[in-house]
Amino acid sequence: LEENNAVLFPRPCHGRIPNCAGSAVACGHLLQLPALRDAAVVKVHPSIGAAALRTALVMAKKTVLVPPYPGADFLYLLLHHSLAPSASALQRAGDKREYMKWARPLQLLEIPPVDVVV
């Protein structure tokens, strides 16, 4: 991936989930899948490569669960369009620097049933 310049920031990608060039295009393809289109609750990993997917899901009024990084005192962050404080926050909802400002931390008994895991 590095040699073919197929990854974006952060580099190098060795030892982490790569942020591949074209991840936003892949997100568009994922959103066409019936399982994702019909899902109400989607768990998405917190890596930067999934930011476009998290944003698209929140904008589609899906509930998105994002696991925190180690050391958090909660199990998931809940992202939903109703929690975003503004239209600009909604447009950046998948960016960790944005959603950490308004996402709701969830404890074990608050976690809704998950329809799809990405």
Side-chain angles (χ1 to χ4, degrees), residues 72-86:
D73 62 351
F74 53 90
L75 294 175
Y76 287 100
L77 286 166
L78 183 141
L79 285 60
H80 193 268
H81 77 282
S82 65
L83 298 173
S86 66

Side-chain angles (χ1 to χ4, degrees), residues 42-110:
V42 183
K43 178 183 172 248
V44 181
H45 60 88
S47 72
I48 193 169
L53 179 60
R54 288 189 299 270
T55 297
L57 290 169
V58 171
M59 292 185 79
K61 300 184 179 180
K62 308 284 186 188
T63 297
V64 179
L65 301 178
V66 182
Y69 289 104
D73 62 351
F74 53 90
L75 294 175
Y76 287 100
L77 286 166
L78 183 141
L79 285 60
H80 193 268
H81 77 282
S82 65
L83 298 173
S86 66
S88 64
L90 187 59
Q91 292 172 345
R92 296 186 321 275
D95 184 326
K96 178 183 162 193
R97 292 168 297 187
E98 178 59 42
Y99 70 71
M100 289 298 290
K101 298 174 189 174
W102 51 264
R104 189 167 66 97
L106 297 179
Q107 299 300 326
L108 179 62
L109 297 178
E110 299 174 298

Side-chain angles (χ1 to χ4, degrees), residues 13-37:
C13 67
H14 179 74
R16 66 178 90 215
I17 298 172
N19 180 18
C20 294
S23 62
V25 173
C27 161
H29 293 296
L30 275 174
L31 293 172
Q32 299 305 314
L33 295 174
L36 203 54
R37 190 178 58 235

